[in-house]
Amino acid sequence: MIRLVIVDDEPLERNALRKFVEQSALEIEVVGEAENGRKALEAAEELKPDLMTVDIRMPGLDGVEVVRLLSQRQPSITFMMISAYNTFEYARQVMQYGVKEFLTKPYKKKDILESFQRSIGEIRFKRYVRQADSLIEAERVRSILMGQTDGQPPDEWEPALRKRNGYAFVMVLQASGGSGELTREEKARLLDWVRLRFKEKFDCLVGKMTRNQIPVLVMANRNDTAPASVKGFATPALRQLIYQFDREFVGMELFVGIGNGYGSASQLTHSYQEALLASRSGVRSVPYAYYEDVKDKLQGEKTFPIELEKRLIACVKRGQAKEAAGLFEEYFLRIGPYFDFDRTAIKSCLQKLMLDMMLLFEEMGMDMGHKPPPMLTDADGQLQDTALCLIRQLAESAQNWYRTDPKGTLCKAKHFIEDHYDKDISLEQVADAIKLSPHYLSKMFKESCGMNFIDYLTRIRIDRAKELMMDPEVPFKEVCARVGYRDPNYFSRVFRKATGYPPTDYRLRFGRAWKDPSR
């Protein structure tokens, strides 16, 4: 629907136009009215209309001034001018702001209907152009930030990024709502707001919104050394923008991470990674963080994300494609600074990850069709996209295997046991979780594992207990509870039968020596 605000100082005129619109078959919704120019500006700011009918002669701000101001503030609005004065001078004044529809009171229904129809066509065309421009712009931003320059060497991008003897840097906007994830409508409204407001303050390109993040590529003058000048250049405008955001998006929060400035297109991938890291730095004293200010804190946390890698592999192993894609995005972000953004080292790390997952699948019994290990390509900077595509393919292959292959079905049951061994689970619960009959599942365990369900569950629990017993600081009762046993005496008997040692003797013989932390 087209959102319409009616602006006229005569209540009878506003009511008549509202009634005409509501009784017509036009795809127009009247979302508000204004009785003078000042209230028209307020209504436009609050209601975000697509179309405004504006009377020219009104107290205070006249219609011409309203159109002039809103053409600057909200250029997406289409205007229809209505006046009791049929003078060329009024028409000439509003035409310079792109107004094409000018009606004289009293107007005929046929004339106003045709004017609305032409305005609807203009609005739809504007939307189409904006959408096309936004898609082209978002793709351009993605190409630059991923190091893809449509086959052009980076040097050919330098004139665009260094105009006015300038440099460029990246901001990443991280938005959140009351429930965390934004709705589709909230995302669309926020993206429109960023494209409008940020371009008022910066010479910038706005990228595609992924989840709740929006990348913004900003070009600036080189008044100083690039990294030092970013903060002085961006902070005043950022403060104003965040103030406007807080007024217009009640119940939402915005945090901005800002990367360093660079004069070379090939280095903007670094600025993007820095902005992402800054946006997740955990520093929240102000609603923005510069990488330059938080890099020491981040460098102190510079360790290989081994636990994250384990979670990623587990998600792929279980066929959870969506979750794996989200974890991979975080993983790729973390390994960048760990390898000092060395593309060769990052590629080798990802190649090993893919190989490890394929070997894991083969160990599980999944038929990989004698496929060679997937090879990653970094052509035109597509390393992240290629790796993400392979991650999804592997996860989807696992998901299909669990669904169609008996071995996969049994493996799915094992995964359920591995995830829930610390609880009081039964054969019936596992069978229900994987949609099999308990009898058939029990038969599968005996035929494939050479043991029944209880024996397999016990083996998993005891293996985990042995790992915990290696740590002398984990109390015996805690070990017992963490592997699904409520009775320590019963656990001791089961443990001794499985290992040949009582738990205490096992810990003394195989456990790590306790170290006094005070020494």
Side-chain angles (χ1 to χ4, degrees):
M1 294 289 282
I2 304 297
R3 296 168 59 84
L4 169 67
V5 168
I6 300 170
V7 183
D8 199 305
D9 60 336
E10 294 290 339
L12 288 176
E13 293 288 346
R14 296 199 303 274
N15 291 337
L17 190 53
R18 174 186 280 273
K19 186 175 181 181
F20 171 81
V21 171
E22 291 175 346
Q23 292 179 349
S24 73
L26 296 167
E27 295 182 7
I28 295 177
E29 176 189 8
V30 179
V31 295
E33 299 179 7
E35 62 192 44
N36 57 49
R38 179 180 60 81
K39 291 189 176 180
L41 298 180
E42 293 173 356
E45 180 74 16
E46 178 183 355
L47 300 172
K48 304 294 186 293
D50 303 298
L51 176 63
M52 296 181 75
T53 59
V54 183
D55 186 17
I56 288 186
R57 295 290 292 271
M58 293 184 296
L61 288 177
D62 65 12
V64 175
E65 186 64 9
V66 168
V67 170
R68 185 186 72 80
L69 292 172
L70 288 180
S71 295
Q72 298 171 353
R73 299 178 187 178
Q74 293 171 255
S76 63
I77 298 177
T78 296
F79 298 96
M80 289 171 53
M81 307 305 297
I82 300 176
S83 176
Y85 304 90
N86 186 12
T87 65
F88 175 75
E89 180 56 26
Y90 284 134
R92 185 192 66 78
Q93 290 183 60
V94 295
M95 283 172 63
Q96 65 181 311
Y97 304 116
V99 177
K100 299 175 183 176
E101 299 298 325
F102 192 101
L103 292 170
T104 304
K105 299 177 184 178
Y107 43 77
K108 297 177 181 180
K109 287 186 177 181
K110 176 177 176 293
D111 293 336
I112 189 75
L113 178 63
E114 290 176 350
S115 186
F116 271 126
Q117 289 172 335
R118 287 191 295 270
S119 295
I120 290 172
E122 181 182 348
I123 290 167
R124 287 175 174 164
F125 180 72
K126 282 183 178 179
R127 285 178 176 176
Y128 173 78
V129 171
R130 283 202 306 272
Q131 185 178 23
D133 287 345
S134 298
L135 288 172
I136 293 170
E137 181 175 319
E139 179 59 25
R140 187 182 179 197
V141 170
R142 192 192 75 86
S143 297
I144 296 173
L145 300 187
M146 294 299 171
Q148 304 167 9
T149 53
D150 297 328
Q152 303 175 59
D155 289 346
E156 295 187 30
W157 285 78
E158 302 308 313
L161 298 178
R162 300 185 64 182
K163 64 181 181 180
R164 303 179 311 235
N165 189 31
Y167 62 92
F169 62 93
V170 178
M171 292 191 261
V172 171
L173 282 56
Q174 179 81 41
S176 59
S179 59
E181 184 66 25
L182 303 182
T183 65
R184 186 175 181 179
E185 292 74 19
E186 287 173 332
K187 288 181 178 180
R189 182 178 166 227
L190 175 59
L191 190 54
D192 286 343
W193 182 85
V194 170
R195 286 173 178 147
L196 175 65
R197 297 305 183 197
F198 271 68
K199 290 190 177 188
E200 291 175 351
K201 302 293 185 181
F202 299 109
D203 181 4
C204 65
L205 299 173
V206 178
K208 178 183 177 182
M209 188 172 193
T210 304
R211 296 203 181 99
N212 291 357
Q213 291 182 344
I214 305 173
V216 180
L217 174 59
V218 182
M219 287 170 276
N221 292 325
R222 185 183 295 279
N223 298 321
D224 202 343
T225 57
S229 63
V230 169
K231 185 186 295 188
F233 171 77
T235 300
L238 268 180
R239 287 175 176 168
Q240 294 176 24
L241 287 165
I242 291 170
Y243 175 76
Q244 289 179 332
F245 173 88
D246 290 340
R247 290 181 57 196
E248 296 186 37
F249 293 85
V250 178
M252 289 174 60
E253 294 184 358
L254 184 69
F255 190 85
V256 185
I258 306 104
N260 286 334
Y262 295 94
S264 168
S266 61
Q267 293 178 303
L268 286 176
T269 55
H270 294 182
S271 186
Y272 177 49
Q273 294 285 334
E274 291 164 354
L276 281 170
L277 289 166
S279 73
R280 303 180 188 183
S281 62
V283 179
R284 291 294 187 269
S285 56
V286 291
Y288 51 85
Y290 291 90
Y291 177 76
E292 191 68 19
D293 293 339
V294 299
K295 69 177 182 180
D296 290 340
K297 174 180 179 294
L298 295 171
Q299 287 291 330
E301 301 170 354
K302 185 179 175 181
T303 55
F304 187 81
I306 186 65
E307 292 303 319
L308 183 59
E309 184 178 83
K310 289 178 180 178
R311 287 166 55 204
L312 171 59
I313 292 173
C315 275
V316 175
K317 177 181 174 183
R318 284 162 170 72
Q320 299 166 335
K322 184 177 180 181
E323 293 84 350
L327 287 173
F328 176 75
E329 182 180 332
E330 179 72 18
Y331 180 77
F332 191 84
L333 174 64
R334 294 275 300 277
I335 63 175
Y338 179 80
F339 290 112
D340 295 322
F341 302 107
D342 184 326
R343 303 290 289 186
T344 302
I346 293 171
K347 180 180 177 181
S348 297
C349 173
L350 295 177
Q351 190 72 59
K352 181 179 180 302
L353 176 67
M354 300 299 162
L355 180 58
D356 288 347
M357 285 192 285
M358 288 198 69
L359 291 174
L360 176 63
F361 283 172
E362 290 179 0
E363 290 173 5
M364 289 163 53
M366 187 187 301
D367 182 9
M368 301 303 294
H370 303 290
K371 293 179 182 178
M375 297 303 295
L376 296 173
T377 175
D378 198 16
D380 295 327
Q382 296 178 10
L383 182 60
Q384 183 177 3
D385 288 350
T386 305
L388 178 58
C389 182
L390 289 170
I391 290 281
R392 285 183 172 139
Q393 288 176 7
L394 289 170
E396 288 165 2
S397 296
Q399 188 179 64
N400 185 61
W401 183 65
Y402 292 133
R403 187 173 55 250
T404 61
D405 192 298
K407 291 182 181 178
T409 304
L410 181 62
C411 197
K412 191 174 182 180
K414 291 179 179 179
H415 290 331
F416 185 88
I417 295 170
E418 290 167 6
D419 290 341
H420 300 86
Y421 67 85
D422 58 335
K423 301 177 180 63
D424 187 17
I425 59 174
S426 65
L427 175 68
E428 288 73 21
Q429 286 176 306
V430 179
D432 183 63
I434 64 172
K435 311 302 181 189
L436 280 182
S437 72
H439 174 75
Y440 186 63
L441 178 59
S442 178
K443 183 180 177 182
M444 289 180 68
F445 265 105
K446 288 178 181 178
E447 291 178 352
S448 299
C449 304
M451 64 182 75
N452 61 29
F453 166 77
I454 290 297
D455 290 339
Y456 183 83
L457 174 60
T458 300
R459 190 181 77 180
I460 294 295
R461 285 173 166 171
I462 296 302
D463 285 347
R464 179 58 178 148
K466 285 158 63 176
E467 293 175 9
L468 293 171
M469 293 293 288
M470 298 292 287
D471 187 348
E473 296 186 17
V474 180
F476 171 70
K477 286 186 177 180
E478 184 180 332
V479 173
C480 176
R482 285 171 64 176
V483 296
Y485 291 98
R486 302 294 172 259
D487 183 349
N489 291 326
Y490 178 68
F491 168 67
S492 293
R493 292 197 298 272
V494 173
F495 190 89
R496 181 169 186 167
K497 181 179 179 181
T499 65
Y501 298 95
T504 304
D505 290 352
Y506 185 90
R507 170 169 277 173
L508 290 172
R509 182 179 289 267
F510 301 106
R512 297 192 300 271
W514 182 79
K515 293 182 179 180
D516 186 346
S518 65
R519 297 183 63 182

